[in-house]
Amino acid sequence: MYRVPFNEPIYLEEHKAILQKALLSKHLSGVGPFTLECEKRLDLLNGSRNSIVTSATHALEMMALLGHIGKDDEVIIPAFTFVSTANAFALREARIRFADVDEYGNLKISEVERLLNSKTKAVVTVHYGGNSAPMDELKAICLKNNVFLFEDAAQSIGSLYKGQALGTIGDLGCYSFHETKNVGSGEGGCLIINNPNFVDRSDVLRQKGTNRKQFMMGLADKYTWVDLGSSYVLSDLNAAYLLPQLEQLSVIQDRRKQVWHKYYESLKSICEKHGVQILESPSYNTSNHHIFALIFANKKLRDQFILDQKGAGICCTFHYVSLHKSPYGLRYAGNESLPQCERLSDCLVRLPIFYNLTDENQDFVLESTTYWIRKNC
């Protein structure tokens, strides 16, 4: 057991009452009252059409289906990402083209230009840690080349690009409500629909490929299989757990911002002195402070830091094994080198940051981290 875990699911005082209400409502399956209320709040938050689903992974799979991605199509994604970003399109037999990232961990525009060709069907940008690539440039490239722009905004609820919500700029986007995210429902996610042409079909895909929604609204006389799809509907019990967090999103985000800035102000000087980089935000982003990350000079230092913090009772974690170096990813990547993805994969470490992190425990993390950097860097 860690004295300071890497993450804890959010717990609010309202959770006991709302979960009891959900149980007594006798509607635990999907698209119930709590799901609909969550979707309304998300619509108001980001100004797009939001559809609650079982995970951001499934939202990405729905993007692939909605975009009719198939065999021989190519999809450009950053290699520094979670496997779900690639899996969603690999499942449709698309060819994955791995791109390098910039200093912030986001898709590099020059890489998109390098990889684009007549077979490119979509570009998937991953908003790492609540920050983004320069979306104006990326959107212009996609429009010029007539390819879909999909946003994996799994980590980015509440983050903005030049004042616009991340996840709402491309054709489709998604949030994750996994318990490790800023707000969570245990498991869960959201498909963000910005292109109105996708609205009706997305409802069919979410309901196992059936016209259930039209049937329930009296717009169809039969309830039947009309398209591909799967069971992407989140339990209303999970949505009930999410709802009070969406209601208090500004409070939750303010607390994460407070924790992030305390880390930053306490570590900035010593990190600069000892050659450790703090991962910051581009000037065009308003971050949701999803992660606080340090980047060490090499993998040996990073791995030793994680090990020593574990010994002190603090859980710190690296992020991704860059997909172009992963066993399955090699079938798409070959021997290509993506230097920035490899650097972040080898050298980045994340410190504990979550809503219920106490000041006492954060002080303990800061004391341990400061001592280690002074001693080892």
Side-chain angles (χ1 to χ4, degrees):
M1 291 290 290
Y2 289 100
R3 171 176 169 178
V4 186
F6 174 70
N7 177 75
E8 285 183 356
I10 291 179
Y11 176 75
L12 302 173
E13 290 299 321
E14 292 82 358
H15 272 132
K16 284 185 178 179
I18 201 164
L19 288 173
Q20 184 179 33
K21 184 178 179 181
L23 289 169
L24 293 174
S25 75
K26 299 181 181 179
H27 185 125
L28 302 184
S29 59
V31 200
F34 293 105
T35 299
L36 296 174
E37 184 60 32
C38 285
E39 289 176 342
K40 287 179 185 176
R41 289 190 169 273
L42 289 165
D43 291 351
L44 290 171
L45 173 71
N46 64 27
S48 284
R49 165 74 178 268
N50 294 266
S51 182
I52 297 288
V53 294
T54 32
S55 66
T57 298
H58 285 160
L60 286 159
E61 291 179 15
M62 291 177 73
M63 291 184 204
L65 287 165
L66 287 165
H68 294 285
I69 307 295
K71 192 172 184 179
D72 297 326
D73 290 331
E74 293 190 5
V75 178
I76 298 171
I77 72 166
F80 188 65
T81 186
F82 189 57
V83 63
S84 293
T85 315
N87 251 336
F89 302 93
L91 283 166
R92 309 311 310 164
E93 300 189 86
R95 183 187 177 200
I96 307 302
R97 301 299 305 275
F98 289 123
D100 207 357
V101 296
D102 61 20
E103 63 186 292
Y104 304 103
N106 291 295
L107 187 60
K108 203 170 184 178
I109 297 297
S110 60
E111 284 287 277
V112 175
E113 293 171 332
R114 175 178 71 88
L115 294 167
L116 268 169
N117 63 62
S118 60
K119 292 185 177 181
T120 305
K121 192 74 174 283
V123 174
V124 186
T125 186
V126 179
H127 301 318
Y128 183 66
N131 298 312
S132 74
M135 295 301 292
D136 292 337
E137 295 178 53
L138 188 56
K139 187 172 183 178
I141 290 170
C142 290
L143 285 171
K144 180 181 177 181
N145 290 276
N146 195 31
V147 300
F148 292 120
L149 174 57
F150 296 149
E151 296 176 74
D152 182 343
Q155 303 173 0
S156 300
I157 188 170
S159 289
L160 307 175
Y161 172 77
K162 296 182 179 180
Q164 184 172 354
L166 291 181
T168 69
I169 300 167
D171 295 283
L172 295 164
C174 67
Y175 296 144
S176 172
F177 300 131
H178 187 270
E179 67 175 35
T180 56
K181 301 304 187 288
N182 288 33
V183 295
S185 53
E187 297 281 356
C190 175
L191 178 69
I192 307 166
I193 307 164
N194 310 310
N195 185 331
N197 294 326
F198 291 135
V199 171
D200 291 340
R201 188 165 180 243
S202 69
D203 287 328
V204 171
L205 300 187
R206 185 170 71 153
Q207 292 281 5
K208 309 171 189 67
T210 70
N211 61 343
R212 183 177 187 277
K213 181 176 181 180
Q214 291 86 346
F215 176 73
M216 297 299 290
M217 294 173 65
L219 300 176
D221 60 356
K222 295 179 181 178
Y223 170 27
T224 187
W225 185 19
V226 297
D227 200 344
L228 290 175
S230 191
S231 185
Y232 295 135
V233 178
L234 186 71
S235 163
D236 213 46
L237 189 60
N238 292 77
Y241 191 86
L242 177 64
L243 181 57
Q245 296 171 68
L246 294 178
E247 291 172 341
Q248 298 186 46
L249 182 61
S250 62
V251 174
I252 292 167
Q253 303 290 54
D254 285 347
R255 174 57 182 158
R256 294 188 75 99
K257 181 178 180 180
Q258 181 183 40
V259 172
W260 194 97
H261 280 282
K262 184 174 180 178
Y263 275 138
Y264 182 80
E265 296 302 327
S266 301
L267 295 173
K268 181 180 179 182
S269 178
I270 190 170
C271 283
E272 289 177 351
K273 182 178 179 181
H274 290 272
V276 180
Q277 179 188 344
I278 296 174
L279 188 70
E280 300 185 52
S281 299
S283 59
Y284 48 70
N285 282 134
T286 302
S287 178
N288 65 354
H289 303 95
H290 177 62
I291 63 172
F292 186 89
L294 303 176
I295 304 172
F296 286 96
N298 56 61
K299 186 176 187 297
K300 183 178 179 181
L301 279 173
R302 192 277 307 273
D303 291 350
Q304 192 61 50
F305 175 80
I306 291 173
L307 185 62
D308 290 345
Q309 296 313 300
K310 180 179 180 181
I314 301 167
C315 183
C316 299
T317 71
F318 64 88
H319 224 153
Y320 315 114
V321 174
S322 188
L323 294 184
H324 77 297
K325 294 292 186 182
S326 66
Y328 199 84
L330 287 172
R331 67 182 59 201
Y332 301 107
N335 295 317
E336 66 183 312
S337 176
L338 301 175
Q340 192 66 14
C341 289
E342 291 159 25
R343 173 176 175 259
L344 295 177
S345 183
D346 287 347
C347 303
L348 183 144
V349 62
R350 297 174 292 158
L351 303 189
I353 181 168
F354 51 92
Y355 175 72
N356 297 110
L357 180 65
T358 65
D359 291 337
E360 180 184 8
N361 277 346
Q362 187 179 15
D363 288 340
F364 179 63
V365 174
L366 281 166
E367 180 183 352
S368 182
T369 300
T370 301
Y371 174 79
W372 194 95
I373 291 173
R374 283 202 183 105
K375 182 181 176 182
N376 295 280
C377 297

